[in-house]
Amino acid sequence: MDENYRIVFTGGSGEIVEKKSRFIATVSPVESEEEALAFIERTKKQYWDARHNCFAYVIGDHQELMRFSDDGEPQGTAGKPMLDVLLGEELHNTAVVVTRYFGGTLLGTGGLVRAYSGAVQEGLRSCVLAEKRKGLWLSIGTDYSGIGKVQYLLGQRGIRILSSEYTEQVVLTVLVPLEQKRELLDALTEGTNGKARLTPGDECRYVDAQGELFLL
């Protein structure tokens, strides 16, 4: 499994106006180049009457696939600045189309770069960004006298209890960020004097978006 990375969890759109030209940014999560191209085509059809539909996308766990298009704007004034915003936000698996309705006034090279960059930034403000992370399921068994300490150690690290079972013992199920695994296991063992029963489960991918966990 690869490293944690930032994604657009929920896409969105935003608009800016520069000298009467409208720049509409539409942002979408994508998992492949095919998805990115299909999204671009849908957006172009939606804004079929616009002068320009410039795009940029970045795909892959290591951002290994990057593409952009100026769609008739002067070279280097649209697609590349749009891609630079995505990379500056450290986003993966994200595509954006910026649609321009020409307002009658030329913006010049610098003005176009600022407008296309600004439109993408505005579009991203309407999105839900999240981190795609590696996690490990962990079952924690403890007696009733140890539950307070376990809850304290989990709370210290921002690890939420996803389920709990109260019988002769207490069994908690949590999802641990993989990079915290070793430190948490050591802390739980030390904090309960070795009495906690720790049972690691499978690794998985998940997203923590606006306080909610989503398994992938």
Side-chain angles (χ1 to χ4, degrees), residues 70-95:
D70 296 314
D71 193 34
E73 293 282 28
Q75 185 175 356
T77 62
K80 182 61 165 60
M82 291 165 58
L83 179 64
D84 287 343
V85 174
L86 299 182
L87 297 179
E89 292 290 335
E90 299 181 341
L91 289 168
H92 298 240
N93 296 344
T94 302

Side-chain angles (χ1 to χ4, degrees), residues 136-140 174 176 181-182 185 197-203:
L136 175 79
W137 291 104
L138 178 64
S139 173
I140 306 168
V174 298
V176 184
K181 169 189 171 183
R182 187 71 269 155
L185 293 177
R197 179 168 44 82
L198 307 175
T199 309
D202 294 332
E203 293 183 12

Side-chain angles (χ1 to χ4, degrees), residues 12-15 22-27 39-54 71 96-102:
S13 63
E15 178 178 337
R22 295 174 61 203
F23 294 85
I24 305 166
T26 309
V27 186
F39 159 71
I40 291 163
E41 284 306 308
R42 287 196 306 272
T43 307
K44 284 183 175 182
K45 286 179 181 178
Q46 180 180 354
Y47 296 108
W48 60 270
D49 57 340
R51 178 171 289 195
H52 305 283
N53 282 291
C54 307
D71 193 34
V96 58
V97 176
V98 174
T99 302
R100 182 189 184 186
Y101 285 96
F102 185 57

Side-chain angles (χ1 to χ4, degrees), residues 1-214:
M1 299 178 95
D2 296 302
E3 296 81 4
N4 302 336
Y5 54 79
R6 276 163 57 84
I7 62 169
V8 170
F9 185 67
T10 303
S13 63
E15 178 178 337
I16 65 171
V17 177
E18 292 288 341
K19 296 182 179 179
K20 298 183 180 179
S21 279
R22 295 174 61 203
F23 294 85
I24 305 166
T26 309
V27 186
S28 178
V30 292
E31 291 295 327
S32 66
E33 187 164 30
E34 290 74 21
E35 279 190 33
L37 294 174
F39 159 71
I40 291 163
E41 284 306 308
R42 287 196 306 272
T43 307
K44 284 183 175 182
K45 286 179 181 178
Q46 180 180 354
Y47 296 108
W48 60 270
D49 57 340
R51 178 171 289 195
H52 305 283
N53 282 291
C54 307
F55 68 77
Y57 56 84
V58 55
I59 296 169
D61 290 355
H62 300 285
Q63 299 175 315
E64 53 265 33
L65 179 59
M66 304 179 194
R67 298 283 188 272
F68 59 85
S69 168
D70 296 314
D71 193 34
E73 293 282 28
Q75 185 175 356
T77 62
K80 182 61 165 60
M82 291 165 58
L83 179 64
D84 287 343
V85 174
L86 299 182
L87 297 179
E89 292 290 335
E90 299 181 341
L91 289 168
H92 298 240
N93 296 344
T94 302
V96 58
V97 176
V98 174
T99 302
R100 182 189 184 186
Y101 285 96
F102 185 57
T105 302
L106 297 176
L107 299 183
T109 300
L112 286 171
V113 170
R114 287 190 296 273
Y116 278 99
S117 299
V120 177
Q121 291 164 351
E122 189 67 23
L124 289 174
R125 289 188 189 99
S126 72
C127 299
V128 176
L129 305 184
E131 189 171 31
K132 192 172 184 179
R133 312 192 71 175
K134 295 179 292 184
L136 175 79
W137 291 104
L138 178 64
S139 173
I140 306 168
T142 179
D143 57 29
Y144 282 84
S145 65
I147 186 61
K149 184 66 174 180
V150 170
Q151 290 172 328
Y152 172 75
L153 292 170
L154 295 174
Q156 263 191 328
R157 292 156 179 80
I159 297 172
R160 280 170 285 174
I161 297 169
L162 301 182
S163 70
S164 53
E165 181 182 339
Y166 293 83
T167 54
E168 292 181 1
Q169 274 206 329
V170 182
V171 179
L172 307 177
T173 301
V174 298
L175 183 57
V176 184
L178 204 56
E179 68 271 16
Q180 292 182 249
K181 169 189 171 183
R182 187 71 269 155
E183 189 274 335
L184 177 65
L185 293 177
D186 290 345
L188 288 169
T189 300
E190 182 180 344
T192 63
N193 296 316
K195 293 180 180 178
R197 179 168 44 82
L198 307 175
T199 309
D202 294 332
E203 293 183 12
C204 66
R205 277 284 197 190
Y206 71 97
V207 170
D208 191 340
Q210 296 183 323
E212 289 190 62
L213 293 180
F214 298 88

